[in-house]
Every structure is written in C-alpha cells, then in structure tokens.
C-alpha cells in the first residue's frame, strides 16, 4: 500500500526498522553467523541504507510503495552486510601481522560511535547549548569553552566503553605498542581500569620518559583547563587541522619506533586533518613502508587490500586477540 | 469482404469466360481504384507488415469464431491489398474502368492509365470518379469496410487495439514457451504481461495469465526455495495497518493476478540486486557500477509495481 509521503525521508522510513532488522537477522543466521555479534554491522547497514533510499526517493527515482521501499532497504542493508562478511581474508591478514609484529593504533571518533559518544552532528547542539554560534567563537570565549568541556565530560561519564575500547586496552602494550587517540573521551582509559591495567597517558606536550603510551593530542576530559592552549590541555575542535605534540615527534625518533616493524592500524578516523596526516600517518605508513590497515565504513573501498569495511567493534574483534585470551 | 470480392471475381468470370484470373483481378483492381473509394479503403485498412499478418492469423485462431471470422476477413483483405500495393502504379488523371455492357460486348480489359512517376498510393490530382461497375461493388465495399458510421479516431484506435491485442497474445505465447522451458520471467516479461492485461477478453485470457504467473511462482519455489507470495506479506504483522500489503478479494481474478505479479516483481528485483551485490563483492564490478545497476533495477521494478499494492 502506498505510503502517505511521495518522498519519504529517513525518519519516516524508521517505521520499517523492526521488520527490516528481523529479516536481516534471519538472513545472517542463514549465512552461519550469530546476529548478536553483528549487531553493530546491522545498525550501520540499516541506517546507511535508509539514508540512501531516502535520497533516491527525494530525487524522484521511484514512487514510495510501502512494500517496495522496505524491500529496497532490506536488499541494500543485506548487500552491505554481505560485503562486510566477505572480508575474512583481510581479517586474517591483519590478525596474523598484529600477532607477529605488534601494532600502533591511531583512532578517531568512529571507535566511540558504538558507545553513543556525541559525534560531530550532535556536537552542534552542544555549541548552541553553550551559546556559541561556531567553534571559533567557542575558542575565543573562555567561559563558554570551559562550559563546553565540562558538559562533554559530564555526558561522557555516563557512557560505557565499547568492545573496541576493551580490546585495545586488553592488547596494550603486548600487541599494541602505542595508541594515538584523537578523541576527548576517556573510554580506553576506563576500559583499562576495568582490566586493572594502568595505561600511561600523555595528554600534554611534555618530555616522555617511558615507552608504550596512550597519546591524546586533541584534548582529554580528564584534563580540563580554563584556558584552551594547545599542548597544555587545550582541546582541538572539529574545524581545525589537527595537532601533534612535538614530544611525540621526538619520542618516535628517540625510541627508534619508526625503525621498528609493526602494523599501523587506523580505525574510525577520517584522516581529514592535515597536521595529523603529515606528522603521523604519512610517516608511519611510508617511512619506511609498512603494512597499514584502515578500518572504516566506505563501501566503495571494499576492494582495497588493506581497507577493512565495517564498524570498529566488529572489525577489531576479528583482528585483535580476544579480551578473554 | 474478400469472400464477396471472390464472388465478384466469379461473376466477372461468368461474364468474360475467356479472361484469365489475372485479367479478372486487374479489372477488379481498376474498378476500385477511383479516388474516394481507394482513399477510404487504404485509410481503413492501413496495410500491415508480414508480422502483423501473422499475428492476425494467430489472433484469429484464438478468438471466438465470430470474431475470428472478422479478423480472417481483414487478414484476407490485407493480403488482397498487399497485392494491390505491389502491382499498382500511382496515377494522376482518370482511370477508366472496363465498361460492361449489357449486350455482352467485351470491354477493353486493359485500360490505359496515364503515366506517372509517383508510385505512392496516395492519389493526387486524380479526378474523382466513381467506378462504373454498377452498384454492387460499391455497396459491397461500403457494407464490409464502412461497417457503421463510427468516427475516424475510434476506427483508428480500433485498428490500433486490434494490432496491440494481437501483439499481446503473440507475446504471451512466446513467454509461455520460454516458461515451459523452465525459464523464470524477467522484468521485461512482466512488463509485457502487464501490457497484455489491457487486452483481457480481446484475445488475451485472464486464466492464461494466471496460469503463467502460477507456473513462474512454482518455478521460483523449486529452483530458489522461495515462496514469492508469502514473501510479499512477510513482516506485515510488524507494521501499522495502513502500511500492510493489501490482500486480493476472494474470487477477484484481476486482484489475484496483480498479487502474483507483485510477488514476482518483488522477488525478481531482490534476485537481481543480490546478484549485483555478489558481483560487486567478487570484484566483477566497481562500487559505482553496483550502485548504478541496483538503482536501475529498482526503478524498473518500481515502474512495474501495481498501484494497488
């Protein structure tokens, strides 16, 4: 039966969530997987499919017959899921390398997605809440900036570490030498605490004495300062080009980390910040060349040898030794 | 009509026993070559091509006898005028017709036609003169071709519908042959079946279409282990009533047909999308090609989707 709206938006397509998910779970079971373990994949697949179908319908590509729309969402989502599940070769390649010669991880907002930590769109609401019209105004207004940081910290305190956080905490520092986390949240640290581990953290630009560190260049809810100076507890906001501690550059050189063979894993990070790309990614990936695996949601890159499509929780479970081990 | 023309031919033969069949037919041709008559006849019939003649034959086999007779007559008329078209040289000026005198004097059976280079049957510049063969031929032509005083557009659409219904019947037969060879219906086949539905009871039987759809659904069940009709209603219990798929009314053949059509369209779209997904995963196509192709399938299927569902 035709829906009321000729051009449904993704919100109106929410009405199909329950039957779509039920269908996808049955198909996943037929493929031999447990629907529970693929829940983050289903979530991403369904939301992405609804967005695409909504865009197609808004361009007038087809009318909005209810049953047909639902079928379209189901097939798109299932296609996405099957693509993710088809990468066992990549999982195995990454896992073997990480177990053989360990890894360095660079992570962004994507690994905190499953923990429901506010991402960029939601952060705009927080800007409004702090009565700043944009990030520049927030930077320029110290009280508002402080309010923003504290509010984010409060929200974060109610979130729980995800599978990704726990796996990284568990495998640090045996299979993961260094973690560069560009998120403000402290979920990796809390996951480590749950495991009784102490993760040495560097959230300010100062000389480092020990090895195997958790680096937080862009700010930390555990280090909120009134002023917002980079390198001394200052937070970097989404409109900036990224920041890397000088101490990190020295550390990499002094510890000869760069000369060691390890797998470089970039998970849940868009690589859009030029400073991070120039000072970390291009260095680790190519100087010298080393296997670099990227974990993300760009289905168009499915055929790239070292690009693993999928949510971080799901993929890291495949490539990192389990938390129970 | 053709039978009547055959009677006329026989009658002429009796008047001119020494005349050959070709001379007789030439006389008949000449007698109806006058401008108003020919123009009306050609306008009425609009000579079809060989395939349409075959389709007309097919339709004549399928229709009830009364309708078949009418179609056969038209087919024969078509053949007749095919011969006219191939033998006629368009003229300008008056074509005199053989004079049949009551005293038995033989007329000139080969009238001389004015020369012209235009072979088109659109007679231009000819003086309009009714053939002098007596009232019978004109009346016969009137009776058989004019039928009644319908308007020109209605006649035009009738001719169009006759052709379309014949085409549809022909196509259904082709599709049935392929289905008998264990081939599933494609979206293009569905499109043709939907077109054929416009001519139910005009040479296309709804039972026939229902049977065709049923056999396709059974084929999909056997080959792909999927119950298309059940799939159509899957998940409806989890949706509000206004978004649930409508069930056909009991005994309503048309709705039953649309239900099965919808089920097949839905399944065929899913099957194509899934195949494209596998090709993408196996690196037989790029991501852009995958998006473009699945969107094409979706648009195609959507256009076939019956609005009732």
């Amino acid at each position: 039966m035709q829906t009321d709206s000729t051009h449904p938006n993704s919100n109106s397509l929410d009405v199909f969530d329950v039957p779509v998910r039920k269908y996808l779970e049955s198909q996943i079971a037929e493929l031999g997987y447990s629907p529970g373990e693929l829940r983050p994949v289903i979530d991403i697949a369904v939301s992405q499919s609804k967005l695409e179908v909504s865009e197609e319908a808004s361009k007038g590509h087809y009318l909005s017959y209810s049953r047909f729309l639902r079928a379209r969402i189901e097939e798109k989502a299932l296609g996405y899921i099957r693509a993710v599940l088809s990468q066992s070769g990549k999982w195995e390649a990454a896992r073997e390398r990480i177990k053989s010669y360990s890894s360095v991880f660079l992570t962004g907002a994507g690994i905190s997605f499953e923990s429901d930590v506010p991402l960029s769109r939601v952060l705009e609401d927080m800007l409004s809440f702090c009565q700043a019209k944009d990030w520049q105004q927030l930077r320029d207004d110290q009280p508002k900036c402080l309010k923003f940081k504290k509010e984010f910290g409060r929200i974060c305190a109610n979130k729980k570490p995800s599978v990704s956080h726990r796996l990284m905490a568990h495998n640090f520092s045996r299979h993961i030498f260094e973690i560069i986390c560009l998120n403000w949240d402290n979920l990796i640290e809390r996951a480590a605490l749950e495991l009784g581990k102490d993760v040495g953290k560097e959230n300010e630009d100062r000389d480092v004495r020990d090895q195997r560190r958790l680096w937080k260049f862009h700010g930390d809810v555990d280090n909120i300062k009134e002023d917002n100076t980079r390198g001394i507890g200052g937070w970097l906001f989404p409109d900036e080009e990224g920041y890397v501690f000088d101490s990190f550059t020295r550390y990499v050189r002094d510890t000869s980390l760069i000369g060691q063979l390890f797998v470089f894993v970039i998970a849940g990070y868009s690589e859009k910040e030029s400073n991070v790309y120039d000072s970390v990614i291009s260095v680790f990936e190519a100087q010298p060349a080393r296997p670099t695996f990227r974990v993300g949601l760009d289905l168009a890159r499915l055929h790239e040898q070292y690009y693993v499509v999928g949510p971080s929780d799901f993929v890291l479970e495949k490539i990192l030794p389990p938390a129970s081990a | 009509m053709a039978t009547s023309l055959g009677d006329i031919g026989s009658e002429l033969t009796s008047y001119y026993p020494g005349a050959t069949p070709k001379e007789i037919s030439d006389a008949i041709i000449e007698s109806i070559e006058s401008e108003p008559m020919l123009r009306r006849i050609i306008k009425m019939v609009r000579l079809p091509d060989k395939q349409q003649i075959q389709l007309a034959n097919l339709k004549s086999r399928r229709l009830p006898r009364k309708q078949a007779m009418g179609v056969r007559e038209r087919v024969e008329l078509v053949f007749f005028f095919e011969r006219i078209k191939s033998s006629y040289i368009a003229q300008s000026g008056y074509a005199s017709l053989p004079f049949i005198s009551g005293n038995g004097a033989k007329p000139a059976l080969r009238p001389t036609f004015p020369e012209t280079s235009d072979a088109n049957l659109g007679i231009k510049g000819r003086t309009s003169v009714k053939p002098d063969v007596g009232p019978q031929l004109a009346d016969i032509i009137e009776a058989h071709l004019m039928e009644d005083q319908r308007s020109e557009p209605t006649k035009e659409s009738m001719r169009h519908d006759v052709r379309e219904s014949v085409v549809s019947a022909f196509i259904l037969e082709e599709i049935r042959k392929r289905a008998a060879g264990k081939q599933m219906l494609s979206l293009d086949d569905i499109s043709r079946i939907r077109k054929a539905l416009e001519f139910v009871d005009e040479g296309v039987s709804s039972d026939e279409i229902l049977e065709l759809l049923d056999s396709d659904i059974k084929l999909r069940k056997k080959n792909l282990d999927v119950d298309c009709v059940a799939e159509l209603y899957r998940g409806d219990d989890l949706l509000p009533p206004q978004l649930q798929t409508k069930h056909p009314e009991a005994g309503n053949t048309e709705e039953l047909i649309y239900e099965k059509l919808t089920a097949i369209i839905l399944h065929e779209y899913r099957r194509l999308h899934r195949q494209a997904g596998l090709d993408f995963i196996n690196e037989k196509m790029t991501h852009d090609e995958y998006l473009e192709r699945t969107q094409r399938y979706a648009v195609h299927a959507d256009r076939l989707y019956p609005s009732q569902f």
Side-chain angles (χ1 to χ4, degrees):
Chain A
M1 194 174 297
Q2 192 163 357
T3 58
D4 291 336
S5 165
T6 305
H7 299 301
N9 55 39
S10 55
N11 286 335
S12 65
L13 296 175
D14 291 348
V15 70
F16 298 127
D17 272 1
V18 173
V20 166
R21 282 172 186 274
K22 192 172 172 189
Y23 171 74
L24 292 175
E25 285 169 2
S26 70
Q27 294 296 302
I28 286 167
E30 280 190 22
L31 290 170
Y33 287 86
S34 157
E37 71 170 326
L38 288 177
R39 200 159 310 283
V41 182
I42 295 173
D43 290 345
I44 293 285
V46 171
S47 64
Q48 181 67 20
S49 300
K50 283 193 297 185
L51 201 62
E52 289 174 13
V53 168
S54 170
E55 281 173 7
E56 285 174 358
S58 69
K59 287 176 190 168
H61 285 307
Y62 43 77
L63 299 173
S64 51
Y65 299 116
S66 169
R67 187 63 187 89
F68 183 73
L69 269 181
R70 177 155 62 98
R72 186 92 177 112
I73 296 168
E74 286 170 351
E75 288 308 315
K76 275 183 170 281
L78 188 60
Y80 187 93
I81 291 168
R82 288 172 80 125
V84 168
L85 295 177
S86 71
Q87 301 172 103
S88 56
K90 291 185 199 175
W91 303 334
E92 197 179 322
R95 187 172 56 241
E96 279 180 8
R97 285 170 168 85
I98 290 172
K99 283 174 77 173
S100 295
Y101 23 88
S102 200
S103 59
V104 168
F105 267 62
L106 169 62
T107 68
I111 65 157
S112 296
F113 172 75
E114 280 93 5
S115 294
D116 298 327
V117 172
L119 297 183
S120 52
R121 259 189 309 192
V122 179
L123 290 178
E124 302 285 334
D125 294 335
M126 290 184 64
L127 260 186
S128 303
F129 176 76
C130 299
Q131 295 173 314
K133 70 174 189 318
D134 53 35
W135 298 111
Q136 184 60 48
Q137 192 180 72
L138 194 73
R139 272 190 293 276
D140 294 341
D141 190 319
Q142 193 168 303
K144 288 180 184 174
C145 190
L146 184 62
K147 182 179 178 182
F148 179 92
K149 293 178 197 175
K150 286 183 175 175
E151 189 57 29
F152 189 89
R154 187 194 65 76
I155 291 171
C156 216
N158 292 325
K159 305 300 179 189
K160 291 183 181 171
S162 68
V163 168
S164 297
H165 302 118
R166 292 197 176 89
L167 280 169
M168 282 194 286
H170 170 74
N171 285 282
F172 185 83
S173 55
R174 184 181 169 201
H175 294 294
I176 303 179
F177 288 158
E178 312 284 337
I179 300 175
I180 303 159
C181 177
L182 301 175
N183 298 336
W184 304 319
D185 64 71
N186 59 355
L187 294 172
I188 295 176
E189 298 92 301
R190 282 162 53 190
L193 209 59
E194 286 173 7
L195 294 170
K197 291 176 80 166
D198 179 30
V199 175
K201 181 160 68 172
E202 302 298 330
N203 55 19
E204 289 195 9
D205 194 351
R206 57 194 166 213
D207 283 336
V208 178
R209 296 173 187 279
D210 301 316
Q211 295 187 26
R212 308 291 184 256
R213 314 303 288 169
L214 167 63
W215 300 88
K216 302 196 79 173
F217 307 142
H218 287 183
D220 188 356
V221 292
D222 290 335
N223 189 23
I224 294 176
K225 300 240 173 109
E226 279 193 23
D227 65 330
N228 199 52
T229 308
R230 287 185 185 190
I232 326 173
W235 286 26
L236 243 78
F237 294 114
D239 64 334
E240 297 180 76
E241 289 301 321
Y243 179 69
V244 177
F245 294 161
D246 290 335
S247 60
F248 175 81
T249 309
R250 288 194 299 273
Y251 171 87
V252 167
R253 184 193 61 220
D254 294 345
T255 58
S256 304
L257 179 66
I258 198 66
Q260 297 177 35
L261 177 59
F262 55 83
V263 178
F264 186 33
V265 179
I266 303 171
Y269 178 55
S270 64
E271 303 183 48
K272 287 180 183 168
E273 293 157 328
S274 56
N275 289 334
V276 175
Y277 186 86
D278 293 340
S279 303
V280 180
I281 296 175
S282 64
V283 170
F284 280 176
E285 185 172 16
Q287 301 170 27
R290 69 183 82 251
T292 300
F293 286 87
R294 287 169 164 84
V295 180
L297 297 171
D298 190 351
L299 199 58
R301 301 178 70 173
L302 180 72
H303 297 154
E304 290 180 24
Q305 184 182 1
Y306 293 109
Y307 190 95
V308 187
V309 178
S312 298
D313 273 8
F314 177 77
V315 174
L316 294 193
E317 269 191 322
K318 299 294 182 196
I319 68 176
L320 283 173
S324 55
Chain B
M1 166 64 193
T3 306
S4 302
L5 287 173
D7 290 341
I8 295 201
S10 300
E11 199 168 333
L12 282 175
T13 304
S14 67
Y15 287 135
Y16 304 99
T20 64
K22 188 175 183 313
E23 286 169 338
I24 297 292
S25 69
D26 282 347
I28 295 175
I29 289 169
E30 287 151 15
S31 71
I32 60 176
E33 268 177 355
S34 68
E35 181 179 283
M37 296 301 279
L38 185 57
R39 187 181 298 134
R40 284 156 83 185
I41 290 166
I42 287 166
K43 217 170 149 188
M44 276 293 296
V45 176
R46 216 165 77 191
L47 305 175
D49 59 25
K50 200 178 283 186
Q51 189 184 15
Q52 287 169 313
I53 293 167
Q54 288 171 350
L55 296 175
N57 279 334
L58 177 67
K59 183 169 165 56
S60 72
R61 286 202 302 272
R62 296 166 59 84
L63 286 173
R65 177 172 173 75
K66 184 178 174 183
Q67 288 172 296
M69 288 303 293
V71 171
R72 185 175 301 121
E73 284 178 359
R74 291 186 196 204
V75 169
E76 287 169 345
L77 185 60
V78 162
F79 274 117
F80 180 74
F81 282 105
E82 282 277 338
R83 289 200 296 278
I84 292 175
K85 190 166 74 168
S86 64
S87 64
Y88 175 72
I89 299 170
Q91 315 283 332
S92 61
Y94 171 66
S96 63
L97 296 154
F99 171 72
I100 303 171
S101 72
N103 61 9
K106 280 188 186 177
L109 289 176
R110 292 183 186 281
T112 51
F113 294 114
E115 294 291 325
T116 179
S117 61
D118 184 7
N120 196 308
L121 282 171
I123 304 159
K124 214 170 176 180
R126 178 184 290 241
T127 307
S128 167
V129 175
K130 205 164 180 179
D132 184 19
V133 292
Q136 300 96 323
L137 183 56
D139 291 340
I140 288 163
I141 291 173
E142 284 287 335
H144 282 266
L145 292 183
M146 302 311 159
E147 291 177 4
D148 59 21
Q149 296 303 311
R150 290 185 202 133
S151 65
E152 290 303 312
T154 307
K155 289 171 185 161
E156 176 66 35
S157 66
M158 278 172 60
R159 283 200 300 279
H160 173 78
D161 283 349
V162 165
R163 272 198 291 275
E164 286 294 313
S165 68
V166 170
V167 169
S168 298
F170 179 73
I171 287 172
L172 270 187
E173 185 135 324
E174 289 298 308
I175 293 174
R176 200 181 314 106
K177 280 181 194 165
R178 281 196 284 111
K182 310 297 180 197
Q183 217 174 338
M184 290 190 296
L185 296 175
S186 66
L187 290 181
D188 285 337
D189 291 334
I190 302 289
S191 174
R192 293 183 190 113
I193 290 171
R194 285 214 64 185
K195 180 73 180 166
L197 281 172
E198 294 174 24
F199 300 102
V200 163
D201 297 332
E202 291 178 39
V204 173
S205 153
S206 55
D207 287 338
E208 187 180 5
I209 292 180
L210 211 50
E211 189 191 325
L212 188 59
L213 298 177
D214 272 333
S215 68
D216 187 72
I217 287 172
K218 280 183 192 149
L219 194 62
R220 287 169 197 267
K221 173 74 180 165
K222 185 183 169 194
N223 290 354
L224 303 172
D225 193 27
V226 62
D227 184 341
C228 297
V229 177
E231 182 63 18
L232 182 62
Y233 300 107
R234 174 182 55 77
D236 268 4
D237 54 320
L238 301 168
L239 290 171
Q242 67 271 22
L243 293 180
Q244 294 178 10
T245 305
K246 179 184 164 188
H247 287 257
E249 282 176 21
N252 188 325
T253 309
E254 186 188 353
E255 289 194 355
L256 198 57
I257 288 175
Y258 278 115
E259 180 200 46
K260 293 177 193 295
L261 265 179
T262 308
I264 294 171
I265 290 168
L266 207 61
H267 179 257
E268 187 61 13
Y269 156 68
R270 283 182 178 278
R271 194 180 68 79
L272 292 170
H273 187 130
R274 215 165 282 195
Q275 183 58 50
L278 284 174
D279 287 345
F280 166 58
I281 288 170
N282 293 327
E283 300 192 42
K284 290 179 185 171
M285 66 172 82
T286 63
H287 185 241
D288 284 344
E289 285 167 349
Y290 164 66
L291 289 179
E292 186 270 334
R293 190 171 301 187
T294 55
Q295 187 170 294
R296 192 156 28 96
Y297 293 149
V299 170
H300 192 174
D302 178 75
R303 283 181 189 153
L304 296 172
Y305 214 80
S307 58
Q308 312 57 332
F309 290 89

